[in-house]
Structures are given as structure tokens and as C-alpha cells.
Amino acid sequence: MAHDEDRERTNEVERPLRVALPNKGRLSEDALELFEKAGLKAQFRAERALMASLGDRFQAIFVRAQDVPEIVADGAAELGITGNDLVAESGASVPELLDLGFGRCRLVVAVPDESPVTKPADLPSGTRVATSFPHLTSTHFRDLGIPIRIAPLTGAAEIAPHLGVADAIVDLVSTGSTLRVHRLREVGTILTSSARLVGNPQAYGAPALRPRMEGLVDALESVLRAERKRYLMANVPRDRLDEVREVLPGISGPTIVDVQDRGTWVAAHAVVDEERVYDTIQSLKALGAEGILVTRIERLMP
Ligand code: AMP
């Protein structure tokens, strides 16, 4: 008996942790790309497989983005990636472990262009609101003290006002072009969203599983951090080093390396924010730098 329990515990520790990923769309592609950059490229056994291995320690299971919160809350997967709009709508208790930054959008209230409404609170009682986010929508209007009627749709809410089935909509907006095409005007934001890594709370609390879950958070975070940084190298005159240090702060100051046979020159290396690269190069050139090289960084763990 004790032996069986031991074996069960060992299996629990050794089996790959399941990560629920969206099975289609942008969120799915971006999630798989992120795993690949973290050294966990998905290996599919067959085309359109419902599962894939992500290295030896994780296994992807592909489900609808809407189902990810429930699947992680149930423990059918220890981890999951989906938009926090869907997490909030589901009401599932799945702690957020990391904001992945992609899939940015906003859940907004919109009305036809010709409507006099300028903010959600202007909508009269009894307004019919079409949405595939009934939970977040009813909570929002309940908080405003406005009783509304919800027309639940699974998508394409933007056509509902033109079909006469709703007076307003609550839908996701990214660039805003879908609203414009349908002659709808945004009057308020309910939530801003992006893709999140979420975890099952019991699994995250289990000493046998938590280190691996945290390891995945670290790996994905290192990729996200690196994407916003560049590694910059330049040969600089040794007598301008103090000024170079001011221009190249790096993570803990630049790395200074001797350049062989050029006693008056040193090589300075540093990690630089992507948006500072242009100015930094101009400043280094002004200090007489040569051989400037900028490269991408795959992963960064300070
Ligand atoms: P846009 O025209 O760029 O504002 O995109 C709006 C359309 O794309 C709407 O139909 C939204 O439901 C959908 N959409 C935009 N961003 C997202 C997202 N991050 N996740 C899911 N659907 C989105």
C-alpha cells in the first residue's frame, strides 16, 4: 500500500505537466512561438494532434481559448495560456503567474455612431446589449446601477445593432477597425486584456510541482525580457571609458574587454533597452567608438 502511494507520488512528480493552450488563432501561434523561444518547441505526433510535447517536462493540450480557465481550475492541466478577458469572464479561480504581453485588446462598450450616448452610464434602463461576455457585461452595468437586457452571442456582436437585436454591444477591440466598419463608436472600457499564464492553485501549492511551474515562469519571462533588449558591443578609446560608462549603463555596468594589440582601445559590451539603441549608438560614435555591433538576445536572466 505504502509502496503504491510512493509510486503514485513518483509518477505525479515525473509525468510532464500539462499546459492548456488555445487550439487556433493568434493566441495559439504566439504561445507556441514563445515556448519555442524558451527552448520548449512543440513536437506534434500527428498533424492536428490535440497534444504535443513541450520538451520532456511539459505537455501541451490544445483546447478552445474560452475553455482554458475551466480546464486549469479543474486540474485537467496544471498550467494554461489564454486572454485575461476570458479568465475574468469565466470567473474561474486560476492565479495569474505571468503577463505574456501579446494578444492585447480591450473589452469595450460601443453604440451606433448616431447614438447620443457618450458613456456607458448614459445608457437607459432596459437597453439591449449584445455580447459574448455576459458575465462581465452584467457585472459592469450592475455596478453602474443600470438594469440592462443581455443578448448573448458567441461572436460577431458588432452586427447586432444593425439587425435590430441590440442597442449597444460589449466586444473586444484591438485596432478599432471592426467597430468603424460597422459604424459603431466606443463609449467606455470595461477591461484591458492580454495573454496570461495561469496556474492551478492546488498544483502551484504542491511542493512536488511548484518548482517546475516556477521554472516555466522563469523561462518564459526570460524570453519576454530579452525581446525588449539588445546586446551592444563597441570598440572605444580607453581614455573615454568614464564617458562610455555613462552612455552604456548595462545591467550592472558595461563589460570592458581588452582589445588585443590595441592598447589604447577596449571593447565595451552592454545590454541596452531596444528603444535606447539608436541614441546610444549616436552617443558612442561621438565618443569615437568603432566597430559597433548590435545583436538580439535570446534569453535574459539577470
Ligand atoms: P479590431 O478590428 O482590430 O479592433 O479587432 C476587433 C475584432 O477582433 C473583434 O471581432 C474582436 O472580437 C477580435 N479581437 C481583437 N483582439 C482580440 C483578442 N486579443 N482576442 C480575441 N479576439 C480579439
Side-chain angles (χ1 to χ4, degrees):
M1 181 67 188
H3 205 66
D4 281 354
E5 273 175 23
D6 279 353
R7 198 161 43 217
E8 215 163 84
R9 210 169 294 134
T10 310
N11 286 343
E12 182 67 12
V13 175
E14 287 179 356
R15 71 165 176 78
L17 295 186
R18 283 184 289 253
V19 189
L21 298 181
N23 57 5
K24 58 180 183 190
R26 213 35 225 282
L27 226 46
S28 179
E29 287 163 24
D30 287 352
L32 288 176
E33 192 183 324
L34 177 61
F35 274 96
E36 183 172 348
K37 286 181 177 167
L40 299 168
K41 184 170 164 44
Q43 303 285 351
F44 294 85
R45 286 239 178 88
E47 212 172 311
R48 293 156 147 276
L50 300 177
M51 290 191 182
S53 58
L54 298 165
D56 297 336
R57 291 154 182 263
F58 300 96
Q59 181 179 46
I61 56 173
F62 297 98
V63 298
R64 279 158 44 103
Q66 294 89 317
D67 295 335
V68 168
E70 211 51 59
I71 281 168
V72 174
D74 279 355
E78 285 78 19
L79 294 147
I81 289 180
T82 194
N84 80 312
D85 51 315
L86 298 172
V87 176
E89 176 65 20
S90 75
S93 166
V94 282
E96 178 185 320
L97 305 181
L98 189 62
D99 183 344
L100 304 174
F102 55 79
R104 281 189 199 287
C105 59
R106 289 172 303 120
L107 185 68
V108 306
V109 182
V111 296
D113 276 343
E114 61 278 11
S115 163
V117 166
T118 60
K119 55 185 187 302
D122 293 343
L123 287 169
S125 295
T127 295
R128 293 166 309 160
V129 183
T131 186
S132 46
F133 291 84
H135 175 66
L136 291 173
T137 302
S138 53
T139 305
H140 182 70
F141 284 98
R142 194 180 317 124
D143 291 349
L144 289 175
I146 306 170
I148 55 154
R149 286 182 289 154
I150 290 194
L153 298 174
T154 55
E158 60 274 5
I159 59 166
H162 303 293
L163 298 177
V165 295
D167 314 300
I169 69 165
V170 167
D171 198 8
L172 295 176
V173 165
S174 171
T175 60
S177 69
T178 304
L179 287 188
R180 276 194 296 279
V181 164
H182 291 88
R183 302 192 310 281
L184 296 167
R185 178 168 44 83
E186 203 180 311
V187 290
T189 298
I190 295 182
L191 175 118
T192 57
S193 182
S194 56
R196 309 289 159 98
L197 176 72
V198 293
N200 173 272
Q202 285 78 33
Y204 200 60
L209 304 180
R210 186 172 180 137
R212 242 186 311 159
M213 293 171 77
E214 286 180 338
L216 182 65
V217 174
D218 283 347
L220 300 183
E221 202 170 19
S222 73
V223 173
L224 301 174
R225 202 182 282 123
E227 277 175 353
R228 298 186 299 268
K229 305 279 188 183
R230 295 292 179 268
Y231 197 64
L232 195 150
M233 295 167 262
N235 291 335
V236 297
R238 193 183 289 275
D239 59 7
R240 311 292 300 265
L241 255 185
D242 284 345
E243 292 153 284
V244 167
R245 282 202 177 90
E246 277 172 32
V247 172
L248 274 184
I251 290 180
S252 47
T255 301
I256 306 296
V257 188
D258 279 329
V259 178
Q260 215 124 60
D261 301 330
R262 296 184 75 178
T264 54
W265 290 78
V266 290
H269 297 192
V271 173
V272 178
D273 286 338
E274 182 186 19
E275 63 268 23
R276 289 205 55 243
V277 167
Y278 182 86
D279 286 345
T280 305
I281 289 175
Q282 301 308 313
S283 306
L284 286 173
K285 277 184 171 170
L287 294 173
E290 289 179 1
I292 300 173
L293 198 65
V294 182
T295 67
R296 288 183 178 276
I297 304 169
E298 282 191 14
R299 293 174 61 178
L300 185 62
M301 297 196 189

